Amino acid sequence: MKKFFLITLLFFFLGCYNDERLKINELNFSDLNQKSILKNKIKKTFLISGFDSGLYKENDTISIVEYNRIGKTEKVWRKSLMYSINEEYKYDSLNLETQKIYFTDFKAMFSFRYEFNKDSLVLYKYYTKPSFGFSKEDFTIPAGIFKFNDNGNIVESFEYQNNDYGKGKRLLTKYYYDTSNNLMSKEILYKPSNTDDIAKDSKEITDYYYSNKKLDSATSTFSWTDRENQEQSYTISYIYDDNKLISKSIAMDSLVTYYKHIKY
Protein backbone atom coordinates (compact mmCIF):
# COMPACT_ATOMS: atom_id res chain seq x y z
CA MET A 1 0.00 0.00 0.00
CA LYS A 2 2.82 2.40 0.87
CA LYS A 3 4.56 1.59 -2.41
CA PHE A 4 1.36 2.27 -4.34
CA PHE A 5 0.97 5.62 -2.54
CA LEU A 6 4.54 6.71 -3.41
CA ILE A 7 4.10 5.79 -7.08
CA THR A 8 0.81 7.71 -7.21
CA LEU A 9 2.47 10.73 -5.58
CA LEU A 10 5.34 10.60 -8.10
CA PHE A 11 2.98 10.63 -11.06
CA PHE A 12 1.08 13.53 -9.48
CA PHE A 13 4.22 15.67 -9.28
CA LEU A 14 5.27 14.68 -12.79
CA GLY A 15 1.87 15.72 -14.05
CA CYS A 16 2.18 19.06 -12.28
CA TYR A 17 5.69 19.69 -13.63
CA ASN A 18 5.73 22.53 -16.13
CA ASP A 19 8.69 22.79 -18.47
CA GLU A 20 9.30 26.55 -18.44
CA ARG A 21 12.20 26.43 -20.86
CA LEU A 22 11.78 28.53 -23.98
CA LYS A 23 10.26 26.82 -27.00
CA ILE A 24 11.49 27.33 -30.53
CA ASN A 25 8.38 29.30 -31.48
CA GLU A 26 9.08 31.78 -28.64
CA LEU A 27 12.47 32.88 -29.98
CA ASN A 28 12.79 36.54 -30.95
CA PHE A 29 15.15 37.31 -33.83
CA SER A 30 14.77 41.07 -33.23
CA ASP A 31 13.76 41.76 -36.83
CA LEU A 32 12.25 45.21 -36.28
CA ASN A 33 11.37 45.61 -39.94
CA GLN A 34 9.42 42.33 -40.05
CA LYS A 35 7.38 43.32 -36.99
CA SER A 36 6.38 46.65 -38.55
CA ILE A 37 5.61 45.07 -41.93
CA LEU A 38 3.32 42.54 -40.21
CA LYS A 39 1.57 45.09 -38.00
CA ASN A 40 0.86 47.41 -40.95
CA LYS A 41 -0.14 44.60 -43.35
CA ILE A 42 2.44 45.60 -45.96
CA LYS A 43 2.48 43.51 -49.12
CA LYS A 44 5.27 45.19 -51.07
CA THR A 45 7.91 47.92 -50.66
CA PHE A 46 9.41 49.94 -53.51
CA LEU A 47 12.82 51.58 -53.03
CA ILE A 48 13.04 54.68 -55.22
CA SER A 49 16.22 56.59 -55.97
CA GLY A 50 16.28 60.24 -54.99
CA PHE A 51 19.48 60.99 -56.93
CA ASP A 52 21.23 60.51 -60.28
CA SER A 53 24.24 58.22 -60.51
CA GLY A 54 26.04 56.04 -63.04
CA LEU A 55 23.61 53.23 -62.25
CA TYR A 56 20.41 55.03 -61.23
CA LYS A 57 18.48 58.07 -62.30
CA GLU A 58 16.32 60.08 -59.95
CA ASN A 59 12.92 58.40 -59.39
CA ASP A 60 14.19 55.04 -60.67
CA THR A 61 12.90 51.99 -58.81
CA ILE A 62 16.09 50.35 -57.58
CA SER A 63 14.61 47.53 -55.50
CA ILE A 64 11.27 45.81 -54.83
CA VAL A 65 10.65 43.70 -51.71
CA GLU A 66 7.56 41.46 -51.43
CA TYR A 67 6.33 40.03 -48.12
CA ASN A 68 4.12 37.15 -47.05
CA ARG A 69 1.19 37.52 -44.63
CA ILE A 70 3.42 37.30 -41.54
CA GLY A 71 5.77 40.07 -42.70
CA LYS A 72 8.60 37.81 -43.84
CA THR A 73 10.49 38.69 -47.03
CA GLU A 74 9.27 36.46 -49.86
CA LYS A 75 10.86 38.00 -52.97
CA VAL A 76 13.51 40.64 -53.61
CA TRP A 77 14.45 42.34 -56.86
CA ARG A 78 17.46 44.66 -57.05
CA LYS A 79 18.80 46.67 -59.94
CA SER A 80 22.47 46.04 -60.61
CA LEU A 81 25.09 47.18 -63.10
CA MET A 82 25.31 44.05 -65.27
CA TYR A 83 21.99 42.33 -64.54
CA SER A 84 19.18 42.31 -62.03
CA ILE A 85 19.47 40.33 -58.79
CA ASN A 86 16.48 38.28 -57.63
CA GLU A 87 15.98 36.38 -54.38
CA GLU A 88 13.15 34.10 -53.26
CA TYR A 89 12.53 32.75 -49.75
CA LYS A 90 10.40 29.96 -48.25
CA TYR A 91 9.58 29.32 -44.58
CA ASP A 92 8.28 26.51 -42.39
CA SER A 93 5.31 26.63 -39.98
CA LEU A 94 7.59 28.23 -37.34
CA ASN A 95 8.54 31.04 -39.77
CA LEU A 96 12.11 29.78 -40.06
CA GLU A 97 13.76 30.15 -43.44
CA THR A 98 13.85 26.76 -45.22
CA GLN A 99 14.97 27.84 -48.67
CA LYS A 100 16.69 30.72 -50.42
CA ILE A 101 16.97 30.90 -54.21
CA TYR A 102 19.42 33.46 -55.59
CA PHE A 103 19.19 34.49 -59.26
CA THR A 104 21.73 36.55 -61.17
CA ASP A 105 23.03 35.25 -64.51
CA PHE A 106 22.40 31.78 -63.07
CA LYS A 107 20.46 30.16 -60.24
CA ALA A 108 21.79 29.13 -56.81
CA MET A 109 19.56 27.27 -54.34
CA PHE A 110 20.07 26.81 -50.60
CA SER A 111 17.84 24.63 -48.38
CA PHE A 112 17.88 24.43 -44.58
CA ARG A 113 16.74 22.50 -41.52
CA TYR A 114 16.98 23.40 -37.80
CA GLU A 115 17.74 21.89 -34.41
CA PHE A 116 17.05 23.69 -31.13
CA ASN A 117 18.80 23.01 -27.82
CA LYS A 118 16.41 24.16 -25.08
CA ASP A 119 19.04 23.94 -22.35
CA SER A 120 21.63 26.18 -24.00
CA LEU A 121 19.08 28.30 -25.93
CA VAL A 122 21.00 27.75 -29.17
CA LEU A 123 19.35 27.20 -32.55
CA TYR A 124 21.41 25.34 -35.16
CA LYS A 125 20.82 25.73 -38.89
CA TYR A 126 22.02 23.07 -41.38
CA TYR A 127 22.12 22.85 -45.15
CA THR A 128 19.96 20.17 -46.74
CA LYS A 129 19.54 19.00 -50.30
CA PRO A 130 18.96 20.55 -52.74
CA SER A 131 21.67 23.13 -52.05
CA PHE A 132 24.20 24.76 -54.35
CA GLY A 133 27.66 23.23 -54.79
CA PHE A 134 28.33 21.72 -51.33
CA SER A 135 30.37 18.72 -50.25
CA LYS A 136 29.04 15.97 -47.96
CA GLU A 137 30.81 17.60 -44.98
CA ASP A 138 28.90 20.84 -45.52
CA PHE A 139 25.65 19.14 -44.59
CA THR A 140 26.98 18.01 -41.20
CA ILE A 141 28.48 21.35 -40.10
CA PRO A 142 26.09 24.12 -38.91
CA ALA A 143 25.41 26.73 -41.57
CA GLY A 144 24.10 29.02 -38.85
CA ILE A 145 24.23 29.25 -35.06
CA PHE A 146 21.79 31.53 -33.19
CA LYS A 147 22.17 32.21 -29.45
CA PHE A 148 19.37 33.62 -27.27
CA ASN A 149 19.12 35.02 -23.75
CA ASP A 150 16.62 33.94 -21.08
CA ASN A 151 14.06 36.42 -22.43
CA GLY A 152 14.18 34.74 -25.82
CA ASN A 153 15.97 37.65 -27.50
CA ILE A 154 18.75 36.81 -29.92
CA VAL A 155 22.17 37.95 -28.66
CA GLU A 156 24.54 36.46 -31.23
CA SER A 157 24.34 34.74 -34.60
CA PHE A 158 26.64 33.23 -37.18
CA GLU A 159 25.59 32.37 -40.73
CA TYR A 160 26.62 32.67 -44.37
CA GLN A 161 25.57 35.27 -46.91
CA ASN A 162 24.43 32.61 -49.45
CA ASN A 163 24.68 34.21 -52.88
CA ASP A 164 26.01 33.32 -56.33
CA TYR A 165 29.45 32.69 -54.82
CA GLY A 166 27.99 29.75 -52.88
CA LYS A 167 28.19 30.20 -49.13
CA GLY A 168 29.57 33.69 -49.59
CA LYS A 169 30.78 35.81 -46.67
CA ARG A 170 30.44 34.67 -43.07
CA LEU A 171 28.38 36.99 -40.91
CA LEU A 172 28.93 37.20 -37.15
CA THR A 173 26.25 39.40 -35.57
CA LYS A 174 25.91 40.63 -31.98
CA TYR A 175 22.78 42.27 -30.54
CA TYR A 176 22.56 44.70 -27.61
CA TYR A 177 19.43 45.67 -25.62
CA ASP A 178 18.44 48.15 -22.97
CA THR A 179 16.78 47.19 -19.67
CA SER A 180 13.35 47.25 -21.39
CA ASN A 181 14.53 44.72 -24.00
CA ASN A 182 14.56 47.32 -26.79
CA LEU A 183 17.17 46.60 -29.44
CA MET A 184 19.74 49.41 -29.16
CA SER A 185 22.59 48.24 -31.37
CA LYS A 186 23.54 45.51 -33.82
CA GLU A 187 27.10 44.76 -34.89
CA ILE A 188 27.86 42.62 -37.96
CA LEU A 189 31.36 41.41 -38.75
CA TYR A 190 31.76 40.22 -42.35
CA LYS A 191 34.45 37.60 -42.87
CA PRO A 192 35.53 37.03 -46.49
CA SER A 193 34.77 33.72 -48.19
CA ASN A 194 37.38 31.62 -49.96
CA THR A 195 36.27 33.07 -53.30
CA ASP A 196 36.30 36.70 -52.17
CA ASP A 197 39.02 38.69 -53.92
CA ILE A 198 39.10 41.24 -51.08
CA ALA A 199 40.71 39.27 -48.24
CA LYS A 200 39.79 41.84 -45.58
CA ASP A 201 37.19 41.89 -42.83
CA SER A 202 34.48 44.54 -42.85
CA LYS A 203 32.07 45.69 -40.17
CA GLU A 204 28.58 47.17 -39.97
CA ILE A 205 27.29 48.75 -36.76
CA THR A 206 23.66 49.88 -36.57
CA ASP A 207 22.41 52.05 -33.69
CA TYR A 208 18.67 52.41 -33.07
CA TYR A 209 17.11 55.55 -31.62
CA TYR A 210 13.76 55.83 -29.85
CA SER A 211 11.51 58.75 -29.05
CA ASN A 212 8.77 58.25 -26.44
CA LYS A 213 9.49 54.50 -26.56
CA LYS A 214 8.95 54.52 -30.32
CA LEU A 215 11.61 53.74 -32.94
CA ASP A 216 12.19 56.86 -35.04
CA SER A 217 15.62 56.45 -36.67
CA ALA A 218 18.69 54.28 -37.08
CA THR A 219 22.23 54.78 -38.33
CA SER A 220 24.44 52.13 -39.93
CA THR A 221 28.19 52.68 -40.18
CA PHE A 222 30.13 50.47 -42.60
CA SER A 223 33.90 50.24 -42.17
CA TRP A 224 36.63 48.19 -43.83
CA THR A 225 40.31 48.12 -44.75
CA ASP A 226 40.99 48.46 -48.48
CA ARG A 227 43.72 46.81 -50.54
CA GLU A 228 46.13 49.60 -49.66
CA ASN A 229 45.47 48.98 -45.95
CA GLN A 230 43.62 52.27 -45.65
CA GLU A 231 40.65 52.49 -43.28
CA GLN A 232 37.42 53.38 -45.10
CA SER A 233 33.88 53.99 -43.89
CA TYR A 234 30.51 55.49 -44.74
CA THR A 235 27.12 55.81 -43.02
CA ILE A 236 23.47 55.30 -43.90
CA SER A 237 20.73 56.90 -41.82
CA TYR A 238 17.19 55.47 -41.75
CA ILE A 239 14.15 57.60 -40.95
CA TYR A 240 10.98 55.89 -39.69
CA ASP A 241 7.41 57.11 -39.96
CA ASP A 242 4.75 57.02 -37.24
CA ASN A 243 4.01 53.36 -38.08
CA LYS A 244 7.65 52.35 -37.49
CA LEU A 245 8.15 51.79 -41.23
CA ILE A 246 11.27 53.11 -42.97
CA SER A 247 10.27 56.17 -45.00
CA LYS A 248 13.70 57.02 -46.40
CA SER A 249 17.41 56.35 -46.07
CA ILE A 250 20.27 58.79 -46.54
CA ALA A 251 23.71 57.47 -47.51
CA MET A 252 26.83 59.57 -47.02
CA ASP A 253 24.68 62.57 -45.99
CA SER A 254 23.28 63.19 -49.48
CA LEU A 255 22.17 60.05 -51.39
CA VAL A 256 18.49 59.64 -50.58
CA THR A 257 16.37 56.53 -51.18
CA TYR A 258 12.62 56.69 -50.60
CA TYR A 259 10.50 53.74 -49.40
CA LYS A 260 6.97 53.35 -50.74
CA HIS A 261 4.90 50.73 -48.88
CA ILE A 262 1.87 49.04 -50.45
CA LYS A 263 -0.69 47.31 -48.21
CA TYR A 264 -2.59 44.08 -48.81
Side-chain angles (χ1 to χ4, degrees):
M1 186 72 180
K2 184 177 180 180
K3 183 177 181 181
F4 174 78
F5 174 76
L6 291 174
I7 292 175
T8 303
L9 191 63
L10 176 62
F11 276 105
F12 173 79
F13 282 114
L14 287 174
C16 293
Y17 174 72
N18 181 22
D19 187 353
E20 296 182 352
R21 293 177 299 178
L22 285 171
K23 299 177 178 61
I24 190 170
N25 62 330
E26 297 175 318
L27 301 179
N28 176 22
F29 287 85
S30 294
D31 187 342
L32 302 183
N33 184 58
Q34 184 260 335
K35 293 177 181 178
S36 298
I37 293 297
L38 172 62
K39 184 176 180 180
N40 292 279
K41 300 179 180 179
I42 302 300
K43 180 180 181 180
K44 190 180 294 187
T45 298
F46 292 84
L47 278 68
I48 301 169
S49 175
F51 59 93
D52 289 333
S53 69
L55 179 59
Y56 313 129
K57 291 187 178 298
E58 189 174 359
N59 297 321
D60 275 358
T61 297
I62 60 179
S63 184
I64 302 173
V65 184
E66 298 181 37
Y67 310 97
N68 61 19
R69 289 285 186 175
I70 58 171
K72 288 282 192 178
T73 299
E74 208 166 45
K75 295 182 180 179
V76 178
W77 171 86
R78 291 197 299 271
K79 187 174 184 179
S80 187
L81 183 62
M82 297 293 294
Y83 36 71
S84 295
I85 297 172
N86 292 274
E87 298 171 11
E88 293 183 2
Y89 298 85
K90 293 182 179 180
Y91 304 89
D92 62 14
S93 59
L94 296 172
N95 303 325
L96 297 172
E97 179 188 335
T98 57
Q99 191 172 83
K100 175 182 179 180
I101 304 176
Y102 190 98
F103 302 88
T104 50
D105 53 338
F106 69 99
K107 174 181 174 181
M109 180 182 293
F110 309 89
S111 301
F112 313 100
R113 66 177 179 86
Y114 297 84
E115 294 179 5
F116 180 52
N117 187 316
K118 290 184 178 181
D119 295 319
S120 61
L121 299 180
V122 177
L123 179 68
Y124 296 92
K125 179 180 183 180
Y126 293 90
Y127 290 112
T128 63
K129 295 181 180 180
S131 285
F132 170 75
F134 293 146
S135 65
K136 290 182 179 179
E137 290 76 16
D138 287 321
F139 296 102
T140 62
I141 301 171
I145 300 175
F146 308 89
K147 300 179 181 179
F148 301 83
N149 61 21
D150 292 337
N151 295 318
N153 294 323
I154 190 168
V155 292
E156 185 176 298
S157 68
F158 152 79
E159 57 184 327
Y160 290 98
Q161 193 173 25
N162 293 326
N163 54 22
D164 57 351
Y165 290 103
K167 289 182 180 179
K169 291 182 178 180
R170 294 170 290 169
L171 281 62
L172 176 64
T173 307
K174 295 185 178 182
Y175 302 78
Y176 303 94
Y177 304 87
D178 65 10
T179 54
S180 299
N181 289 318
N182 293 311
L183 180 64
M184 301 302 296
S185 181
K186 181 172 68 175
E187 180 179 326
I188 306 175
L189 177 63
Y190 297 88
K191 306 285 288 187
S193 67
N194 294 332
T195 57
D196 202 328
D197 61 345
I198 304 177
K200 297 289 185 181
D201 296 346
S202 55
K203 184 184 293 186
E204 174 188 350
I205 298 176
T206 301
D207 295 311
Y208 299 91
Y209 302 97
Y210 299 81
S211 177
N212 296 322
K213 299 181 180 180
K214 198 173 187 179
L215 179 66
D216 65 9
S217 63
T219 301
S220 294
T221 301
F222 300 82
S223 58
W224 70 96
T225 304
D226 64 20
R227 295 176 181 176
E228 283 74 39
N229 286 320
Q230 299 295 314
E231 297 294 330
Q232 305 288 347
S233 67
Y234 70 93
T235 62
I236 300 179
S237 297
Y238 299 91
I239 309 301
Y240 292 80
D241 62 19
D242 291 338
N243 296 315
K244 299 181 183 179
L245 294 167
I246 299 176
S247 60
K248 66 179 177 180
S249 63
I250 307 170
M252 295 179 284
D253 297 325
S254 60
L255 306 179
V256 180
T257 300
Y258 297 98
Y259 291 66
K260 182 180 180 180
H261 304 285
I262 307 298
K263 292 190 175 186
Y264 273 99

